[in-house]
Structure formats: structure tokens, C-alpha cells
Amino acid sequence: MKKRSLKKLGRQLTVGAVDFRPWSLELTLSELAIAKAASPPAPAAGPESSLLSPGAPQLKIARLYIDAEMQSLLRFAPVADAIEADGLALSLTHPGQGRYDVDDILARLKPVANAPASDPLRFALYNLVLSDGQLDFADLPAGRTPVVRDLRLSLPFLSNLRARREVKTSPHLAFRLNGSRFDTAAVGTPFSQTHKTDATLALRGLDLRPYLAYRPESLPFRLDSAVLHADIKLAFEQAPGTVVRLSGTATAEQVRLLETRAGRRELLAFDWLEVGLDDVRPLERKVKLSAVTLSAPTLNMSRDWAGRLNLLPPGDKFAIKNGATDDSTERAVGQKM
């Protein structure tokens, strides 16, 4: 067993075995584990929890296989013909008040303030497979642990590079959530010239209110209610380049967004928002919409003495200068469209 500390994550990393084949650039890691924080966050006021397992790792992968390509060296970007993760087990703890036992990792990965903009990472990853995955989520204030078992995810590719590799997998997502089974189907033509494969995602009346208690406190605004609907097609195609495309409709209703400042005033609300996705390519940062329908929106804006709008996240130093020197009172505007 090999152990070392990951400075970037601030956690201990252990690996049972490493098998690297330099001529084919194949790497296999066995029994890879990332430990939990040495000092886990204290639980919020509530019942004593028997849900914590201090000895269990934060993340464990029984087998991680990466089949890298020489193009990675030539393009100075990761190119892989296959990435497989077997027996992935993730453990998360929610002590309460929007805190999690991975907050220290997120803080370390947070971009440096005022850092110059950089080009997005270029990559071409093919035949991505996650099998036999599981998730344990310890909700200490509620005294329960939702679990996900038999998680399987397959994606033919994720790429923003012009590269053509052999596609062997079709998009697939399946899991059991607290005993309830979820599965998806995909339709593909893997032997056609375009290697096109489509998957569908359908949501009907997904109420987010039961899950809003888990929102991180660091978010600038607080979502108070929302119900989601979706009928989206996810298409993977390799002609002439690799393309991941979204199309269909996404709908949100009964949305209410609050400020996080004292008083938690309503900032934005609307009855219905429907967005038609004509051609959305997330890996290429391209968005083409066919229609946007918004019903009964209400936006409440205010400006404080420093000229700062309540639409800006807390701590943002941007302020609008007031041209009238004798106007120092807070302005509030309620607009209905």
C-alpha cells in the first residue's frame, strides 16, 4: 500500500497497486482511496449521529483504468481511448447549515481571486464507463442516510478537440436510490459513418423543495422553491468532428429566489419559464435557443448607500456611481413584466 498526501486536496491518498505500461500508455490503479478530513466539521445542533464512519474513506475506487494516447503528448492535452472506474464508493456528510465534509476541498480548488482569464482545458476522452458505483450521504440533522447503489454511467465521449477514436460504448445511466430503481435507454448507430448515438432525459414535476436544505451557504442567492420539467435529447456524433449536442425543452415553474442578506427578501419570482433548446453544445460553449417563454415574472431591485445593487453577490465590490450628489437614500424598485 502506497501512501502520500495530496497538497492540492489536503487529504491523504492511498493506492494498493500501480500497473503502468509505457509503450501503450495504459495505467491501472487498484484500491485507490482519498481519506476524509483529519478534523471533520462538527455536527449542527440535533440528534446524536451514528451515521458517521470516521474510518471510511471519502472516495474509494476498486479499479481505475486509463488508456491514454500518444496524441496527449503531441497536443499537450489529455486524449484517452478509455477510462473505466469500477467499484467507486463516495461518502458525504452534511453536518447542517449548508456545510459539508468536502468544503475544505472545494475551498482549495476555488479559483484565485482576480486571476487573469485563461483558455479552457482541451481534452478528448472516449469510452467513459463507471460501474458498480455507490454513494452514502449522511444527513446528520435529519438523522438519515440516503444511499445510491448499483450506479452505472456510460458515455461514448467527452471532447472539445478534433479527434476521432473508436467508440465502443453507448450512453447509459442506471442506479437504485433508497431501493427505487432508475434506468435510461439509448438509441444509437455505432456502425454508421457518423457513429451517432442519442439518449433521452425526461423529468415530470421534479419538486426541488425537499432538496433545498442541502444548498451550500456560500451561494449568493437562496432558491426557495422550484419545480422542473424536461424533455431533452442528448446526441453524440463524430462527423466531421466530435460533437455533444443537447436539444428539446426545459421548464421551471413556481420559482422563487431570495436574497441571502438579513430578511431574506424575495429577489426574483415567476410562474413559468420554458426554454427551447435548438442546438446547445456545452463542450464548445455554443448555445442556440429556439424559444424562451416567461410568465408573470417579478424582479425586486434595490441600491444601497454605496451604490451597490442587490443583484450582485455579497462581497462584490462593484457599485454603480450615483450622478446626483444629494441622493444618498436607498432606492427600491419593484418591476413586474
Side-chain angles (χ1 to χ4, degrees):
M1 180 75 71
K2 300 180 181 180
K3 298 182 179 180
R4 64 171 299 178
S5 176
L6 289 177
K7 293 183 178 180
K8 185 66 175 179
L9 301 181
R11 303 292 184 88
Q12 186 181 69
L13 171 70
T14 60
V15 180
V18 178
D19 180 14
F20 179 61
R21 302 178 182 182
W23 301 117
S24 59
L25 295 183
E26 294 177 90
L27 173 65
T28 302
L29 304 178
S30 301
E31 299 302 324
L32 181 145
I34 297 178
K36 290 186 177 181
S39 301
E48 290 294 329
S49 174
S50 60
L51 306 176
L52 290 172
S53 301
Q58 194 87 64
L59 174 67
K60 183 177 180 180
I61 303 177
R63 171 181 170 272
L64 177 62
Y65 170 75
I66 302 175
D67 183 9
E69 288 302 310
M70 289 297 297
Q71 291 187 32
S72 302
L73 304 178
L74 301 176
R75 297 192 176 203
F76 299 101
V79 178
D81 269 353
I83 299 180
E84 301 173 2
D86 302 328
L88 182 148
L90 176 63
S91 173
L92 291 176
T93 301
H94 175 237
Q97 301 174 353
R99 295 178 296 124
Y100 297 88
D101 61 345
V102 292
D103 285 346
D104 60 314
I105 295 179
L106 299 180
R108 288 174 178 268
L109 298 179
K110 187 177 180 180
V112 179
N114 301 323
S118 59
D119 294 332
L121 176 67
R122 310 296 290 176
F123 57 89
L125 310 177
Y126 288 77
N127 301 304
L128 310 171
V129 177
L130 167 64
S131 59
D132 193 23
Q134 67 179 54
L135 167 65
D136 292 84
F137 180 66
D139 187 351
L140 303 189
R144 62 175 182 264
T145 304
V147 297
V148 174
R149 293 292 183 268
D150 300 333
L151 173 62
R152 178 176 176 81
L153 174 65
S154 301
L155 295 174
F157 59 80
L158 290 175
S159 173
N160 54 14
L161 281 175
R162 283 192 169 273
R164 290 181 61 86
R165 317 297 305 176
E166 184 180 1
V167 175
K168 303 176 182 178
T169 64
S170 296
H172 182 223
L173 173 63
F175 59 87
R176 286 189 296 114
L177 175 60
N178 295 333
S180 299
R181 183 170 294 278
F182 175 84
D183 204 342
T184 61
V187 177
T189 55
F191 301 106
S192 70
Q193 191 174 17
T194 62
H195 295 279
K196 185 177 180 181
T197 306
D198 295 337
T200 59
L201 172 63
L203 292 178
R204 297 292 182 269
L206 176 60
D207 191 346
L208 296 185
R209 281 177 294 184
Y211 311 102
L212 296 180
Y214 302 126
R215 89 177 255 292
E217 284 295 320
S218 59
L219 294 181
F221 306 114
R222 180 180 181 86
L223 183 63
D224 187 60
S225 65
V227 178
L228 304 182
H229 312 271
D231 188 3
I232 295 177
K233 182 172 72 173
L234 178 61
F236 298 85
E237 190 173 349
Q238 285 199 89
T242 53
V243 176
V244 179
R245 178 185 291 111
L246 295 173
S247 60
T249 59
T251 305
E253 62 174 323
Q254 303 173 27
V255 174
R256 187 167 178 258
L257 194 66
L258 308 180
E259 295 183 19
T260 55
R261 303 175 187 177
R264 297 186 182 273
R265 296 178 300 178
E266 182 179 281
L267 177 65
L268 173 67
F270 54 84
D271 291 344
W272 183 272
L273 172 63
E274 183 175 273
V275 179
L277 310 179
D278 185 42
D279 186 3
V280 177
R281 306 182 188 187
L283 298 179
E284 302 174 52
R285 299 184 178 184
K286 295 182 179 179
V287 177
K288 181 180 179 182
L289 305 180
S290 58
V292 177
T293 304
L294 182 60
S295 174
T298 302
L299 175 64
N300 295 303
M301 298 176 57
S302 64
R303 190 174 68 168
D304 61 20
W305 287 36
R308 184 182 179 283
L309 292 174
N310 65 333
L311 300 180
L312 300 175
D316 196 298
K317 297 180 180 180
F318 177 79
I320 297 178
K321 294 182 179 181
N322 189 354
T325 57
D326 58 345
D327 185 2
S328 59
T329 60
E330 182 185 84
R331 298 182 178 184
V333 180
Q335 296 181 350
K336 293 189 177 182
M337 293 177 266

